[in-house]
Each structure stands twice: as structure tokens, then as C-alpha cells.
Amino acid sequence: MRWSTEDWHTAGEPFRIVEGVATEGATVAERRVAAMGGEPDAVRRFLCLEPRGHDDMYGGFITPPDDDGAHFGVLFWHKDGFSTACGHGTMALGAWAVATGRVSAPDDGEALVVIDVPSGRVEARVQREGGRTTGVVFRNVASRVLARGIPLATSRGEVVVDLVFGGAVYATLPAASLGFEVTPPNTTELIRLGREIKWALNEHPAAQLDDDRLSGVYGTILVDELGRTDAGPWQRNVTVFADGEVDRSPCGSGTASRVALLAHTGELADGETLTHDSIIGTRFTARVAARTADGVIPEVTGQAYRVGSCEFELDPADPLAEGFSLR
């Protein structure tokens, strides 16, 4: 087994891009289902888990698009499987598509990269100045509040949780309600609580969507309120997704879900900007791009950077071909 990858990061969160993995299905959503347990899943484990990756690695397999309306498709993956949405990955893919010449771009202005993902069709507007990419605007699928004010008994006491869809289902609540701030020294306990809340609400009726492939709680977003800037609300968050994976960035689709919730409550007005910081201090900004009948179309702006390229190979005698996880 031998695979070439190109590694990027968006606001600190890794994204490993892989071409040439054979997938089956007429749409990216179908390809995701078919990939589970098949050969693509073996490649995912090989490239994601230790000793070639780690428990917080993230990446994607490039696929054909659903139709001619998109440049390409992608299957997002993490240590536990294949996800339905990924905003930071979409930003990285936009920057990668321009950097590699897959999508042409001006030296000054914007290039539009259209990508089919399991939750729908998304866009990355790659901003350019002087021949350099200076930012990527991720335009997400329609996002909406699923349920508000869900009481939940946790190991840290009773809390109230909201469920929101931003391409995946997120449980979101103030970190202070659990007695913590979103800071690196609290990471271990934030992971524990994020997992606890995700699994406690995974079967909640509000988390079961019409398309069952999108059902279930993907991650828990723990939020610190930091006040307001001149542009709008300012928050810090950590998103604990899959089964205990920590997003180093402010989380693209998680930020989109926060936009949907804050727009629903009136805390983020049209024309305002959410300043959204991560647990490591990196930042996305986000806004309501449009209103829908039951929610919003969010736009999230960040920046992605190339880390390098890698050549991975498997020694036939290596007993750890499938990789391993310690979490």
C-alpha cells in the first residue's frame, strides 16, 4: 500500500488531502455510505491513525462531483469514520484547488470553488491579493435550529443544551454551565464532557433528520462568551466531535451552526459579524449570508496554509497496517 497526500491546516486544524482512492456511488452522499467498512475505510485508517497520523487527524478523499455544477467532491474523514460536513476542510480544499491549478484564480480578486460534500453542495470563495491567497469564505448548506433548551443531567450537574444543524448536528452549550472555560489546560475534561453530552443526546428525536444519513449528534460545542466587538458578538469555543476528537480551529460547520443559533435568538443580526475564536486562539469570522424559511445560509471566513506533501507506504511485515488509537 502506497499513498501520496498533501497536508494543509486551517486555523490549526489539520486536513490531509488524498486523490486516487476508488469510491462507489452516484453522489458523494452515496459514496460516503459505501465507503464505510470497505477499501476506502482501510485507507482512512492507514492514513489517519497512528503511527502515520494521530487521534486528532482529519482529511478527505477527492471524488467526482455529483454533476457538472461542482468542481469535485470530497469524502471527509476522521479517526472514527466519515463525516457529513467539514467547514475547515472546505476552506483548505478551496485554497488547495487554487494553489494546484485545479481551479483558475486571478492574482487579485476571488475564485469560486464549488464542492459536493455528503450534506450538499458548498462553496469556497478564495480571496486573492498580489497572487497570494489571503482568505477563504466557506458558504455552507442551509443551517437551522433543531431544538432549544433541552435539559440534560451530566456528571457536572444539570445543563441546558441546544441542538443545531450546520451540515451536521451539533449540541451546543456554555462551557461555564459545566464550570469550565475553553482554555488548553481544560482540554482533557472538555473532551470527556463533550463525549458525554454527544452520546447522551445522539438518539434525541430532534437529532433524527429526514435524511437518516445526517442523523445523530456529530459534535458538542462548548462556548465562552467574550462580549461584543464593534461588528457583533465575540465568542470562543471548542468543538469536540466524532468520539472525542478536538477541533483546533473554531470549527467551520460548527461556526455555521452557531450563526444559525445566534440568528435565531436575535444575538446576531443581519449585517453583523460573529468573531469566533478557537481553544488555541485562532479565529474565524462569520455572518448570515441569506435567510431561509427555517434558518440561514451561513458564511464563515478563515485561512488555510499548506504544510507539505507526504509519501506513505506499508512494509508488508508491519503489524500495524490498520493503525491504532489511544482515545
Side-chain angles (χ1 to χ4, degrees):
M1 184 182 294
R2 185 187 298 267
W3 291 101
S4 299
T5 73
E6 187 161 322
D7 286 16
W8 289 65
H9 82 83
T10 307
E13 178 70 359
F15 194 75
R16 178 163 284 170
I17 301 169
V18 191
E19 298 186 86
V21 179
T23 58
E24 298 180 356
T27 66
V28 175
E30 291 180 6
R31 292 175 191 275
R32 173 178 175 262
V33 174
M36 299 174 183
E39 181 61 22
D41 196 49
V43 179
R44 173 193 66 82
R45 292 183 58 88
F46 178 76
L47 293 174
C48 183
L49 300 179
E50 295 188 62
R52 289 158 289 271
H54 53 81
D55 278 339
D56 292 292
M57 176 55 71
Y58 203 104
F61 298 146
I62 303 301
T63 75
D66 292 356
D67 57 48
D68 292 341
H71 291 102
F72 53 89
V74 60
L75 292 185
F76 296 120
W77 47 255
H78 48 71
K79 74 178 183 66
D80 297 303
F82 295 89
S83 55
T84 61
C86 178
H88 93 272
T90 299
M91 294 182 208
L93 287 167
W96 165 80
V98 167
T100 58
R102 182 183 284 264
V103 175
S104 61
D107 285 345
D108 295 283
E110 287 189 342
L112 178 64
V113 181
V114 183
I115 307 169
D116 284 330
V117 307
S119 59
R121 180 162 288 174
V122 298
E123 297 177 356
R125 295 202 317 274
V126 182
Q127 301 171 329
R128 307 272 292 169
E129 292 182 13
R132 295 183 61 255
T133 293
T134 57
V136 184
V137 181
F138 159 52
R139 187 180 179 98
N140 200 12
V141 298
S143 304
R144 65 191 188 278
V145 174
L146 302 173
R148 294 210 60 217
I150 302 169
L152 182 67
T154 75
S155 57
R156 296 284 299 185
E158 187 89 5
V159 296
V160 176
V161 184
D162 298 321
L163 289 177
V164 188
F165 178 77
V169 178
Y170 290 93
T172 181
L173 70 161
S177 67
L178 294 163
F180 289 97
E181 290 186 339
V182 177
T183 58
N186 293 329
T187 300
T188 299
E189 191 65 4
L190 291 168
I191 292 172
R192 185 186 71 80
L193 292 162
R195 295 171 95 177
E196 179 183 340
I197 291 166
K198 168 195 165 81
W199 293 117
L201 292 175
N202 194 55
E203 302 300 325
H204 191 281
Q208 313 314 307
L209 306 186
D210 291 341
D211 184 344
D212 192 55
R213 294 172 297 187
L214 304 176
S215 292
V217 176
Y218 176 56
T220 302
I221 305 174
L222 301 147
V223 180
D224 285 345
E225 296 285 350
L226 301 178
R228 290 182 65 88
T229 69
D230 291 341
W234 178 22
Q235 298 179 341
R236 177 173 58 227
N237 91 100
V238 64
T239 300
V240 181
F241 65 94
D243 190 17
E245 194 158 342
V246 179
D247 200 321
R248 275 78 171 136
S249 81
C251 186
S253 52
T255 298
S257 72
R258 291 297 301 169
V259 168
L261 179 60
L262 294 172
H264 179 86
T265 63
E267 296 170 81
L268 180 67
D270 291 355
E272 289 190 328
T273 297
L274 167 65
T275 300
H276 213 211
D277 292 352
S278 74
I279 192 169
I280 65 167
T282 53
R283 176 171 290 177
F284 291 159
T285 57
R287 69 184 189 97
V288 174
R291 296 273 179 171
T292 65
D294 60 354
V296 301
I297 303 292
E299 284 190 345
V300 183
T301 300
Q303 173 62 306
Y305 301 91
R306 188 175 185 272
V307 174
S309 58
C310 301
E311 294 285 338
F312 292 97
E313 61 183 59
L314 177 65
D315 185 323
D318 187 344
L320 297 176
E322 293 188 354
F324 64 90
S325 170
L326 293 177
R327 185 174 297 156

